[in-house]
Structure formats: structure tokens, C-alpha cells
């Protein structure tokens, strides 16, 4: 089968398309013909060596496709079923071995590129607003990178709860996308964000900041949150945040600071089905719309990573074998 192979860490140029052996599914696995693979920032962290991973490897953990083979110990799935996943290493390929415990059934009518790019970002948004800081009707929250994949999903799901969303973006085009998703107030990164947030909230600050940008926005996040509010630092698109003196949290108003990750929020099948099921149902019933900005063939995986890291894209991007 054709797949993207990484034999050394580095920039996008280390992504090579080549022929590799077909994966061999075990008794608890599904063999899936990939229709689309999601591309996420965490893929760039592994590719660059920021996160360790044994070499060589096929990148990608997220995607959707059609089941071609079912392991002998698997129940609940059949050949021909459409499934999506967010934890199947080797997804930048034509075939992937998906642990059945990681697969989510995809309802009829859901577009493959949307299904391929919704689970990782959607379940991230889900745990942020259901578990990290459970959003309630009437809350005001701040979402950085409001036109990014997670940002657009967060905005839609928070708005559906009856809360108000403030976002940050970099361009007029991204502002329009953020407002379309439901953002009431859209700020630019070069604004005095804490001052603007305080004006919007009558001096109180936001209940929570969902910050996937990191180094360049962290100070503004800390200064924008209300007393005993929550800063959820769930990514580092602009680079990692330097070590933080805990006394800063006291000065900011007994603020809660957390660095959550999806893996700790889908620790068993029941939790995965809760979060993944909520996300795909929201996609199927129209509560949630996923904007797929670009669709790249496997041969353009390098360009996909270049576009992602340059922050020239809004919404989600996928590979299509």
C-alpha cells in the first residue's frame, strides 16, 4: 500500500510517500480502507522530534474509512461499516489497523473529510467544555485561534450551550469564519486583549480561556480570566509556554491553570463513546459543522504540513489516499 513514511525527524521535507507492507490486524482490530486522514498539530510535533516516536513510522492518528476485515475477537462492527478514529497510528496511508476499542461508528450521510477531521478536534472541544471547565448558559469564554479547527468547533458547541464566545483571529477572513461559527466578539492578536475582554465583561473577565496557541497568548489569557476562573492551555501552536511561577495564579485572582490532553479524557471505551458519540451525532444532526479548508492527496503531505504550520489555513485539513 502507499503511505507517508518518516525515517528521520525534521521539517515537512521528511514526509516521503512510498510503498510499505499492508498492516496486519490482530484479533481485536479492524482493517480499514482509508477514505480520508485528519491532519493535526500533534502530527508536526512528532515529525519534528518535539514529541518522541520510534523511527521509522507512518504519521497520523485520525481518519475515517470502510471496514475491510474484522478481528476474531471484535463485536459490534462488520465488514462494510463506516468508522472514524482518533487513535490509530499510521493513518496517513491507504490502509490502517484500527483497534476496535478506538473506533466510532459514522452515521450515514456524514461526509468522509468531515468525519476524518472531527473526532480529535471535536473530542478535544468536548472535554474542554464538559470536563475541564463545564460551560454553563450565561458564561462568557475566550477562545484563542477562533478560526482554527478546534476553535470553530469550540465556538459552535459553546454557543449551543447558551454561552457567549469571544475569539482571537489574525485576518478579516478568519474573523468572518469565527462570527459564522457563533462568536459574538472577535479580537485580533495585536489588540490589547485583556483590556478588550474586561470592557466586554464589565470588568469581570471570562469564566474560562481555551488557549491552544501557547507562548504568544498565555500572558493575555492569564490577564483575561475572572477571579477563580480557568485557563486551559491545551496546545502550543506558537511554541511552549515558559515555566510559570505559581504566584502569578494568585495575583491573577486564584486562577486555575491546567494543561489537559485528550488521552486522559478517553481512558476507557465508555468515555470514548460518550465524547465521540456526542461529536458525530452533532455533526449528523447539523448542530456542528466542520469546515474542511483543504483536501490534499498523500503526495502533498509536505505541503499540508507547511500550510498548517504557517497558519495559512482555517478550519480542518485532510489527506485523501
Amino acid at each position: 500500500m502507499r503511505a507517508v513514511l518518516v525515517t528521520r525527524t525534521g521539517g515537512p521535507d521528511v514526509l516521503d510517500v512510498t510503498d510499505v507492507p499492508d498492516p496486519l490486524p490482530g484479533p481485536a482490530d479492524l482493517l480499514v480502507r482509508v477514505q480520508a486522514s485528519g491532519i493535526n498539530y500533534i502530527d508536526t510535533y512528532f515529525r519534528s522530534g518535539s514529541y518522541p516516536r520510534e523511527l521509522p513510522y507512518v504519521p497520523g492518528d485520525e481518519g475515517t474509512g470502510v471496514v475491510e476485515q474484522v478481528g476474531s475477537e471484535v463485536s459490534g462492527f462488520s465488514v462494510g461499516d463506516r468508522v472514524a478514529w482518533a487513535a490509530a497510528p499510521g493513518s496517513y496511508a491507504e490502509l490502517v489497523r484500527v483497534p476496535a476499542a478506538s473506533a466510532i461508528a459514522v452515521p450515514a450521510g456524514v461526509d468522509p473529510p468531515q468525519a476524518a477531521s472531527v473526532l480529535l478536534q471535536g473530542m478535544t472541544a468536548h472535554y474542554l467544555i464538559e470536563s475541564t471547565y463545564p460551560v454553563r448558559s450565561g458564561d462568557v469564554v475566550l477562545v484563542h485561534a477562533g478560526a482554527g479547527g478546534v476553535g470553530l468547533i469550540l465556538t459552535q458547541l459553546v454557543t449551543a450551550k447558551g454561552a457567549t464566545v469571544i475569539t482571537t483571529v489574525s485576518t478579516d477572513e478568519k474573523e468572518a469564519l469565527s462570527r459564522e461559527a457563533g462568536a459574538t466578539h472577535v479580537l485580533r492578536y495585536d489588540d490589547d486583549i485583556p483590556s478588550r475582554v474586561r470592557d466586554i465583561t464589565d470588568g469581570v473577565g471570562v469564566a474560562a480561556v481555551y488557549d491552544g496557541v501557547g507562548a504568544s497568548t498565555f500572558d493575555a489569557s492569564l490577564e483575561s480570566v475572572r477571579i477563580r476562573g480557568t485557563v486551559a492551555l491545551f496546545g502550543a501552536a506558537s511554541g511552549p509556554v515558559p515555566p510559570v511561577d505559581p504566584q502569578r495564579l494568585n495575583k491573577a485572582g486564584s486562577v486555575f491553570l491546567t494543561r489537559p490532553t485528550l488521552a486522559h479524557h478517553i481512558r476507557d471505551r465508555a468515555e470514548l463513546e460518550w465524547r465521540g458519540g456526542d461529536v458525530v451525532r452533532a455533526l449528523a444532526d447539523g448542530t456542528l459543522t466542520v469546515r474542511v479548508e483543504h483536501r490534499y492527496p498523500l503526495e502533498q503531505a509536505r505541503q499540508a504540513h507547511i500550510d498548517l504550520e504557517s497558519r495559512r489555513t482555517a478550519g480542518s485539513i485532510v489527506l485523501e489516499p
Side-chain angles (χ1 to χ4, degrees):
M1 69 171 185
R2 290 162 52 252
V4 176
L5 189 68
V6 174
T7 59
R8 66 193 191 284
T9 57
D13 60 297
V14 305
L15 300 173
D16 294 315
V17 178
T18 187
D19 289 325
V20 300
D22 291 356
L24 298 175
D29 299 326
L30 306 172
L31 181 65
V32 180
R33 176 70 57 178
V34 178
Q35 293 177 307
S37 306
I39 298 178
N40 298 283
Y41 257 103
I42 194 170
D43 300 345
T44 72
Y45 301 157
F46 285 118
R47 187 212 69 218
S48 68
S50 297
Y51 288 2
R53 196 163 192 169
E54 185 177 349
L55 297 170
Y57 74 93
V58 175
D61 294 284
E62 180 181 41
T64 191
V66 178
V67 176
E68 290 201 346
Q69 184 177 328
V70 177
S72 60
E73 298 177 2
V74 174
S75 60
F77 293 102
S78 302
V79 171
D81 285 350
R82 289 185 60 205
V83 294
W85 59 89
S91 293
Y92 286 16
E94 293 178 318
L95 290 167
V96 64
R97 180 183 66 83
V98 179
S102 299
I104 296 291
V106 176
V110 176
D111 184 51
Q114 290 198 345
S117 55
V118 75
L119 270 190
L120 188 60
Q121 295 174 343
M123 290 194 298
T124 296
H126 190 280
Y127 82 68
L128 286 170
I129 67 172
E130 296 289 347
S131 303
T132 303
Y133 173 78
V135 173
R136 294 167 293 199
S137 178
D139 280 341
V140 182
V141 304
L142 173 61
V143 176
H144 287 301
V150 176
L152 290 170
I153 293 173
L154 268 171
T155 300
Q156 292 176 77
L157 296 182
V158 168
T159 301
K161 284 177 166 282
T164 297
V165 181
I166 305 169
T167 64
T168 56
V169 302
S170 58
T171 67
D172 290 344
E173 178 188 8
K174 291 185 177 183
E175 177 176 349
L177 292 174
S178 184
R179 290 191 183 279
E180 183 180 347
T184 302
H185 306 278
V186 182
L187 311 180
R188 297 301 172 86
Y189 293 112
D190 57 2
D191 286 343
D192 183 346
I193 293 170
S195 178
R196 294 286 306 278
V197 167
R198 297 290 172 179
D199 288 344
I200 292 167
T201 59
D202 296 325
V204 174
V206 293
V209 182
Y210 299 114
D211 188 344
V213 176
S216 67
T217 54
F218 178 72
D219 289 342
S221 295
L222 203 57
E223 295 169 21
S224 297
V225 74
R226 72 186 184 192
I227 291 175
R228 300 206 314 265
T230 298
V231 175
L233 185 67
F234 68 94
S238 68
V241 173
V244 178
D245 179 355
Q247 187 59 28
R248 291 187 65 191
L249 307 181
N250 177 15
K251 183 178 179 182
S254 299
V255 167
F256 295 91
L257 171 63
T258 181
R259 178 58 175 92
T261 190
L262 177 60
H264 296 155
H265 293 81
I266 49 172
R267 297 182 65 190
D268 56 39
R269 180 65 185 174
E271 194 167 36
L272 175 70
E273 288 184 332
W274 170 40
R275 300 195 193 282
D278 279 1
V279 169
V280 295
R281 282 190 294 272
L283 193 61
D285 69 20
T287 299
L288 177 63
T289 299
V290 176
R291 177 186 172 89
V292 180
E293 176 79 0
H294 290 294
R295 304 179 183 191
Y296 302 84
L298 283 180
E299 288 76 13
Q300 291 184 15
R302 293 180 179 181
Q303 188 61 50
H305 275 224
I306 290 170
D307 290 348
L308 179 65
E309 291 181 292
S310 69
R311 299 170 73 177
R312 289 200 295 263
T313 62
S316 303
I317 59 177
V318 300
L319 290 179
E320 294 180 307

